[in-house]
Amino acid sequence: MIRLARVGATKKPYYRVVVIEKDRARNGRSIEVVGTYNPRTNPATVDLKHDRIQYWVGVGAQMSETVGKLVKKFPAAAPAAA
């Protein structure tokens, strides 16, 4: 499962986008960190490793609803032509 794990202080949310087994706790041990999300900046800051997300989806990982929205809203930048 690819979902958010909260790591911010009280009333200052900051999230990691993590690959984790579905039955583990929200902030339990994750397999891999594939991005970050900071909703407190204006606009919100999102840093995703799209290649790793596509890999995990390709091997069967499901994205949470929120992560799916973030991936759609912040698509990977097109590689620059050389």
Side-chain angles (χ1 to χ4, degrees), residues 4-70:
L4 297 177
R6 184 182 165 128
V7 292
T10 304
K11 299 195 178 189
K12 296 180 181 177
Y14 186 81
Y15 300 92
R16 288 184 185 147
V17 182
V18 298
V19 178
I20 192 169
E21 292 177 31
K22 189 169 186 159
D23 56 348
R24 287 200 185 264
R26 177 191 72 187
N27 290 341
R29 188 180 60 168
S30 61
I31 299 170
E32 182 179 357
V33 177
V34 293
T36 58
Y37 169 52
N38 186 356
R40 299 186 70 230
T41 59
N42 190 9
T45 306
V46 178
D47 180 30
L48 299 172
K49 299 176 186 173
H50 289 278
D51 56 332
R52 295 304 295 164
I53 292 172
Q54 289 305 316
Y55 167 77
W56 284 108
V57 170
V59 296
Q62 297 176 345
M63 286 190 271
S64 70
E65 189 175 320
T66 306
V67 172
K69 288 178 184 179
L70 288 175

